[in-house]
Amino acid sequence: MHSDQRVALEKIRTVIADDHDDVGRRVAHRIAEVMRSRRAAGKRTVLGLATGSTPIGVYRELIRMHQQEGLSFADVVTFNLDEYYPMDPGSIHSYHRFMWENLFDQLDIPQANVHIPRGDVPREQIEAECQRYEEAIQAAGGIDLQILGIGRTGHIGFNEPGSGRESRTRVVTLDLVTRKDTAADFFGEENVPREAITMGVETILEAREILILATGEHKADIVRRAVEGEIDHEVAATFLQQHGDTTFYLDRAASAALTRIATPWLLGPVEWTACLAVRAVVWLSHQTGKAILKLTQRDYAEHHLSSLVARHGSPGALNGEVFNALGTKIRGRSKLPRGTRIICFSPHPDDDVISMGGILHKLAVNANQLTVAYMTSGNLAVFDHDVRRHLDFIARLAAERRIPEAAAVELQCQVNEFLARKQPGDVDTPEVQDTKRLIRESEAVAGIQTLGLEERSARFLNLPFYQTGKVKKDPIGPADIAIVRQLLDELRPEMVFVAGDLSDPHGTHRVCKEAVEHALDEYVAAGGTRPEVWLYRGAWQEWSVTEATWLVPLSQEELRLKIQAIFKHQSQKDTAPFPGPDEREFWQRVEARNKGTAAELDRLGLAEYFAMEAYVVET
Ligand code: F6R
């Protein structure tokens, strides 16, 4: 297909990179290119910068280029988009702190060249501060290259829905969705500031070149809206369509809803593959509200799919082929492995039961050699009140002389004293961190026992990258990989399960997947046989029936058992500390998703199951 046709609906130039790191590299290289060409012309570069999880990869690459390639920032001037209000620049939550920790501290940029709106000015001085910020940008000669992320509301900077095209630097009220999305970093939505100071839409559009970035499945819908939708002040990012030099950098996941990716046949002729044919027929079935086997020539013709029918000879042949392709994905217990060495890698204690509780039970019944490897302790996500309650229980046992009293009372005193003076965001003492870890370990064991696994199937890897005590984790390192590798060497798995939902609030799933991938590569290079890798999802989203390699049916009893196993993770129930933007508890999400997958197959005219889990086998 001609490339112009493919991108016909896209009103912003769009580049689809492989993954988060690839986006980071490409954007960093463009920044370096602009810096070098301006330097060659004897000019300094003015960069507009963003915070958030998306540009972290860009900053990592810039630091690498500075350290290894001598890229200097000595003459670079920067302006950040925004800062929370009120916000002390020294706070762990401030964007000042974020920028210094993640970028500036590791470059040769002079402090005087860095500009970030101040969140600590008195309210009556905000307007003057905003005015000063605008003037400073002008005085620097305007922004040469602006980096942007996009929020799920479509905000750029903190220009929330309703922000006008003409808006300039000002104080804004944060949208509820935005506050929920950042709640995890603040240890609860109630701690997220209600306001922020942000550059306006007009301020942003005055930049000579703009690079906007989005990664992850959770951004796919808003990306489509920004790139293909009408310009609308409800979605500030749509104003970028009016900017002459904007490029949108996406990873594959964030590009998934663009028409050229989701339904390319609507844009013109396509190269039909078996996989695309399945997607098109499932899509058509949705459009028409008909089961696959009832789709007619007319349905195909009316929806730009005649060429697909032509390839298969008749609608009946095509319908049958897709119906069978979906049907063969269904794997009940009799088609699942027996007597096989299997590792389920669970990023946090609970991802195992939330995402694959159904299949874990079936695999246990099939007498496989199962190990659930919990990669992090998840201690960060335990409320302080749960620590108090567990220690109270121990103190009561001690008071009744069931266990020695002195040690129990001492621990309780130490912990309670610390918790009484703890501020949101303070790093827990080792006693508190350990208690939280143990709470989650005992919940994890109870969870898998509910599914018929034995206590010894649980292995707690406690990967070092997670042990910062803070929401911000270290990048994955050789020590993490070595621990995973050791487990592979010991167990020699024939099959492994890995979390494939990469939009968890802090990116821990992505990091854990990286650790397994590196360890597997090393293991295979050292002569180990590569196990089959099954990717699961569940806590944050689920694979669609078209994406899934295998669909595993669950009966009502099996789904109930799975939910009971999830209930064992009591510290994450009712209100989890890091629930993400979804209002529902994890078990409710699981119930809806598993029943939803089954209902989808039913709608397509296949068999009617009670519930289903979905898996993608990595090739
Ligand atoms: C950050 C900013 C925001 C973020 C956006 C996406 O300075 O202005 O617009 O870019 O909220 O955040 P992440 O990257 O964390 O998804």
Side-chain angles (χ1 to χ4, degrees):
M1 185 193 314
H2 191 266
S3 65
D4 290 342
Q5 249 176 326
R6 279 199 318 151
V7 297
L9 295 175
E10 294 173 14
K11 299 167 194 162
I12 300 177
R13 184 169 57 235
T14 302
V15 173
I16 302 174
D18 286 340
D19 54 24
H20 185 266
D21 287 349
D22 193 22
V23 169
R25 272 191 302 271
R26 289 179 192 230
V27 171
H29 290 183
R30 177 63 195 144
I31 293 174
E33 203 170 69
V34 170
M35 281 166 56
R36 286 184 184 124
S37 80
R38 288 195 59 88
R39 200 163 286 150
K43 295 179 188 152
R44 59 185 192 171
T45 307
V46 181
L47 296 177
L49 299 178
T51 59
S53 56
T54 317
I56 293 279
V58 178
Y59 298 156
R60 217 183 287 145
E61 179 66 6
L62 288 178
I63 292 166
R64 191 199 63 74
M65 291 165 98
H66 170 66
Q67 291 171 346
Q68 294 176 10
E69 295 170 15
L71 181 69
S72 172
F73 288 76
D75 60 349
V76 169
V77 176
T78 66
F79 288 89
N80 260 81
L81 283 164
D82 39 23
E83 176 59 284
Y84 291 107
Y85 187 84
M87 182 55 69
D88 180 336
S91 158
I92 54 160
H93 301 306
S94 83
Y95 282 172
H96 280 78
R97 183 98 173 245
F98 177 99
M99 288 307 299
W100 282 98
E101 280 183 4
N102 287 292
L103 184 65
F104 301 141
D105 271 339
Q106 291 150 86
L107 302 178
D108 59 345
I109 190 165
Q111 188 160 4
N113 290 10
V114 170
H115 304 81
I116 303 175
R118 290 199 70 101
D120 61 344
V121 292
R123 188 164 285 276
E124 62 279 9
Q125 288 173 26
I126 295 180
E127 221 182 293
E129 163 73 10
C130 294
Q131 181 63 30
R132 257 199 308 277
Y133 205 68
E134 290 274 342
E135 285 164 8
I137 297 174
Q138 294 304 326
I143 291 172
D144 296 307
L145 186 56
Q146 174 69 54
I147 305 301
L148 297 175
I150 181 168
R152 287 192 313 127
T153 58
H155 71 211
I156 46 176
F158 275 136
N159 291 288
E160 297 288 21
S163 296
R165 165 79 167 76
E166 273 79 44
S167 56
R168 308 207 68 101
T169 305
R170 69 204 186 288
V171 68
V172 290
T173 303
L174 295 177
D175 192 274
L176 210 62
V177 174
T178 301
R179 293 188 60 227
K180 275 189 196 305
D181 281 353
T182 39
D185 295 336
F186 282 87
F187 299 91
E189 197 182 316
E190 64 283 3
N191 302 321
V192 182
R194 276 156 215 284
E195 293 175 309
I197 294 176
T198 180
M199 281 187 198
V201 175
E202 184 78 42
T203 325
I204 292 171
L205 291 180
E206 280 170 3
R208 286 181 268 283
E209 178 177 348
I210 297 176
L211 308 183
I212 176 165
L213 291 50
T215 55
E217 306 86 334
H218 60 309
K219 295 283 173 76
D221 288 336
I222 195 65
V223 165
R224 177 185 178 158
R225 178 75 186 80
V227 174
E228 297 184 2
E230 295 301 312
I231 293 177
D232 182 353
H233 66 265
E234 284 302 307
V235 183
T238 57
F239 289 120
L240 295 172
Q241 295 175 13
Q242 295 176 331
H243 187 270
D245 194 359
T246 293
T247 312
F248 221 133
Y249 283 85
L250 306 170
D251 68 352
R252 289 219 191 93
S255 74
L258 291 176
T259 303
R260 70 162 134 150
I261 305 293
T263 50
W265 49 87
L266 294 178
L267 298 176
V270 290
E271 293 281 334
W272 287 109
T273 60
C275 183
L276 199 59
V278 172
R279 273 173 47 200
V281 173
V282 167
W283 171 83
L284 182 62
S285 162
H286 276 275
Q287 294 296 307
T288 56
K290 290 183 181 177
I292 290 172
L293 293 179
K294 292 186 176 165
L295 293 170
T296 63
Q297 178 71 44
R298 187 169 174 174
D299 295 322
Y300 282 100
E302 283 175 355
H303 291 84
H304 311 270
L305 288 170
S306 301
S307 72
L308 179 59
V309 178
R311 277 174 57 95
H312 290 76
S314 71
L318 172 58
N319 293 348
E321 207 166 291
V322 172
F323 180 89
N324 289 338
L326 289 173
T328 52
K329 293 184 178 200
I330 300 168
R331 289 217 148 180
R333 189 165 66 79
S334 62
K335 290 191 187 154
L336 289 174
R338 287 168 188 280
T340 302
R341 294 186 301 277
I342 301 173
I343 303 179
C344 157
F345 285 102
S346 183
H348 306 92
D350 75 352
D351 289 308
D352 53 339
V353 290
I354 288 174
S355 307
M356 50 178 294
I359 201 171
L360 269 176
H361 173 64
K362 287 181 194 283
L363 292 171
V365 174
N366 275 1
N368 289 288
Q369 296 172 44
L370 282 168
T371 300
V372 183
Y374 298 99
M375 303 184 75
T376 72
S377 71
N379 63 356
L380 209 67
V382 177
F383 284 115
D384 295 340
H385 61 73
D386 274 329
V387 172
R388 286 200 190 89
R389 186 167 61 87
H390 279 81
L391 291 182
D392 174 64
F393 173 74
I394 291 170
R396 281 169 193 278
L397 272 181
E400 296 197 1
R401 314 227 173 274
R402 298 288 171 194
I403 54 171
E405 201 166 5
V409 169
E410 191 193 330
L411 179 63
Q412 193 183 28
C413 287
Q414 274 179 353
V415 166
N416 283 348
E417 195 195 312
F418 166 72
L419 293 181
R421 59 186 157 81
K422 181 180 167 185
Q423 298 294 316
D426 279 357
V427 174
D428 285 326
T429 57
E431 296 83 35
V432 177
Q433 287 190 24
D434 286 346
T435 311
K436 289 183 173 180
R437 171 174 58 80
L438 293 171
I439 290 173
R440 296 211 68 175
E441 287 187 6
S442 66
E443 290 174 346
V445 168
I448 58 168
Q449 282 175 333
T450 307
L451 299 175
L453 281 77
E454 291 174 35
E455 176 175 1
R456 63 184 162 84
S457 297
R459 296 288 283 263
F460 298 97
L461 304 187
N462 261 314
L463 295 188
F465 85 90
Y466 185 86
Q467 296 180 27
T468 58
K470 295 182 277 186
V471 171
K472 185 167 175 273
K473 313 297 184 315
D474 291 333
I476 206 84
D480 303 291
I481 296 163
I483 293 172
V484 179
R485 166 78 199 278
Q486 210 174 359
L487 191 75
L488 295 173
D489 286 340
E490 179 194 329
L491 299 174
R492 293 177 298 108
E494 295 154 277
M495 186 179 181
V496 302
F497 287 85
V498 180
D501 52 353
L502 307 179
S503 305
D504 67 314
H506 308 135
T508 304
H509 288 201
R510 185 168 64 218
V511 174
C512 286
K513 184 164 183 274
E514 243 177 83
V516 177
E517 279 164 0
H518 284 300
L520 274 175
D521 287 347
E522 281 184 13
Y523 172 72
V524 172
T529 309
R530 186 174 285 279
E532 195 165 287
V533 178
W534 288 35
L535 302 177
Y536 62 77
R537 287 181 167 180
W540 312 104
Q541 67 264 128
E542 178 59 293
W543 299 111
S544 67
V545 298
T546 50
E547 288 169 311
T549 315
W550 303 124
L551 298 165
V552 177
L554 306 183
S555 65
Q556 183 177 19
E557 300 74 49
E558 286 171 319
L559 182 62
R560 195 178 295 142
L561 198 66
K562 174 176 179 178
I563 291 173
Q564 272 165 10
I566 298 172
F567 283 167
K568 293 292 183 286
H569 292 269
Q570 273 185 4
S571 66
Q572 307 302 301
K573 240 196 83 51
D574 300 332
T575 49
F578 301 120
D582 196 326
E583 299 278 349
R584 297 168 299 176
E585 282 192 41
F586 289 119
W587 71 269
Q588 292 170 313
R589 303 179 199 184
V590 163
E591 184 177 44
R593 291 191 181 124
N594 291 170
K595 283 186 174 174
T597 304
E600 164 75 346
L601 271 201
D602 179 26
R603 254 195 310 275
L604 295 171
L606 283 99
E608 209 173 331
Y609 289 96
F610 186 79
M612 279 183 151
E613 290 175 342
Y615 297 92
V616 165
V617 175
E618 224 171 31
T619 45

